[in-house]
Amino acid sequence: MAIEHDYFGLLESGPDGSIFWSETIDLADQRVTVDLTAPDQDDVSQAALDVAAAMISSLEQIDLTSRNAMVAELDDRTSEVTEYLLQQQEAFGDDLDDVLVDISGDTHIDIIRSLQLVSMTILADEHGGTDPFAVLEYALDADAADEVLLVNLTSDGAVQSVTSAD
């Protein structure tokens, strides 16, 4: 079986009924891998695909919203964002300035600005549910795949949570 959509084209299901779509898109000077997945195509609605397409098309705004959510967590010294930033400062040490895209004097803000949006995974079967619909993965060093911040979004584009995956 397959699902057809204006943005995604023909989404054919695998032998187990799952669907998967992937593309690399440009966002400013970054290359972002976007994946759409669902374990069972029967759980994916046209509305979910429409929302997914809209999110991909507005990735620049979603990126800004996600970074603002990270900044909002800086007031909490025990937040995963703060812990991640401190961990990155320690890991890079004196070389931190070499990876920052802008140096304003506020190191934590500079790190958030310098994070690379590595990927966006859309869990198409979670449309309207309580679990994340989309997960954005950020890293200061794109090659350090286990030291990332994950921004979980609801299907209406609101930030549900920001967690680390170190």
Side-chain angles (χ1 to χ4, degrees):
M1 290 184 58
I3 301 173
E4 191 160 351
H5 189 266
D6 290 342
Y7 184 89
F8 299 104
L10 188 65
L11 296 169
E12 294 192 39
S13 61
D16 59 354
S18 65
I19 60 170
F20 183 78
W21 174 90
S22 185
E23 189 168 306
T24 302
I25 62 172
D26 292 318
L27 177 68
D29 61 344
Q30 301 177 67
R31 305 274 298 151
V32 181
T33 301
V34 178
D35 297 328
L36 179 130
T37 184
D40 187 346
Q41 81 165 20
D42 293 337
D43 295 335
V44 179
S45 66
Q46 284 293 323
L49 295 175
D50 291 344
V51 169
M55 286 182 136
I56 295 167
S57 297
S58 62
L59 190 54
E60 188 172 336
Q61 181 59 44
I62 288 174
D63 177 48
L64 180 61
T65 300
S66 297
R67 290 175 195 270
N68 286 339
M70 291 177 210
V71 171
E73 293 209 10
L74 292 178
D75 290 338
D76 180 358
R77 295 193 100 12
T78 61
S79 76
E80 291 190 46
V81 172
T82 302
E83 289 180 17
Y84 174 84
L85 298 178
L86 293 171
Q87 181 184 60
Q88 294 305 300
Q89 280 181 272
E90 184 178 317
F92 282 94
D94 293 337
D95 296 328
L96 182 61
D97 287 353
D98 296 339
V99 296
L100 298 178
V101 295
D102 185 29
I103 300 175
S104 70
D106 185 333
T107 304
H108 287 172
I109 296 294
D110 295 343
I111 293 173
I112 291 172
R113 284 184 189 152
S114 301
L115 290 172
Q116 297 175 49
L117 175 54
V118 178
S119 69
M120 175 185 203
T121 302
I122 298 170
L123 308 164
D125 59 319
E126 296 299 337
H127 182 252
T130 56
D131 288 336
F133 179 73
V135 180
L136 279 68
E137 180 180 319
Y138 290 89
L140 192 55
D141 177 3
D143 296 327
D146 41 332
E147 293 181 8
V148 299
L149 277 176
L150 302 173
V151 178
N152 299 304
L153 304 172
T154 61
S155 52
D156 65 359
V159 174
Q160 195 172 37
S161 63
V162 182
T163 60
S164 61
D166 57 351

